[in-house]
Amino acid sequence: MAKWTPKHEAPEPLEGPIVATITGGTILWFVLFLVQVPFYGWFDDRDLTWWVWTCLAGAGLGLIGIWYVRGRDAALKRHAAEQAAAEAAAPAADGTAEQAAEQAADGKQSSAEGAGA
């Protein structure tokens, strides 16, 4: 049996409102649990109580999911801020910031000389 190899690269993962999506799903599971609780006897008579407990488990796992994605989102934002700070500090380390300041000062001097003429 031949090994399966992909014929194209995998697409980039989709980024979106992950925290809102997980929170919405968790709320949905909890609402479904609350809707089914008054009918617990009906579910018990038909040996379908697992429906009720599945909704409660979904809500509980959703709470863990909310905790996880909020931490992930915070870590991604923190990483992006650190990267931006590192990129902002990199030109100063290369000496290009001093060169840019000198060029700006030269530009001001030449514009002042042109205005005075």
Side-chain angles (χ1 to χ4, degrees), residues 92-117:
D94 295 339
T96 55
E98 291 86 13
Q99 292 172 354
E102 290 174 5
Q103 290 175 353
D106 290 342
K108 287 179 184 176
Q109 289 175 354
S110 58
S111 64
E113 293 170 0

Side-chain angles (χ1 to χ4, degrees), residues 7-64:
K7 296 181 181 173
H8 53 82
E9 291 184 30
E12 289 292 319
L14 295 175
E15 292 294 330
I18 298 170
V19 176
T21 303
I22 300 301
T23 303
T26 302
I27 291 170
L28 182 64
W29 279 114
F30 191 67
V31 167
L32 288 172
F33 170 72
L34 291 178
V35 167
Q36 290 179 357
V37 167
F39 303 101
Y40 187 82
W42 185 88
F43 286 108
D44 194 31
D45 292 343
R46 287 158 182 81
D47 200 27
L48 296 173
T49 56
W50 65 271
W51 284 23
V52 178
W53 302 122
T54 299
C55 294
L56 186 61
L61 290 172
L63 291 174
I64 295 170

Side-chain angles (χ1 to χ4, degrees), residues 55-104:
C55 294
L56 186 61
L61 290 172
L63 291 174
I64 295 170
I66 291 170
W67 171 76
Y68 178 80
V69 296
R70 288 185 70 204
R72 178 184 179 272
D73 194 40
L76 289 173
K77 287 179 182 176
R78 189 171 48 250
H79 177 70
E82 289 172 358
Q83 228 176 6
E87 288 175 4
D94 295 339
T96 55
E98 291 86 13
Q99 292 172 354
E102 290 174 5
Q103 290 175 353

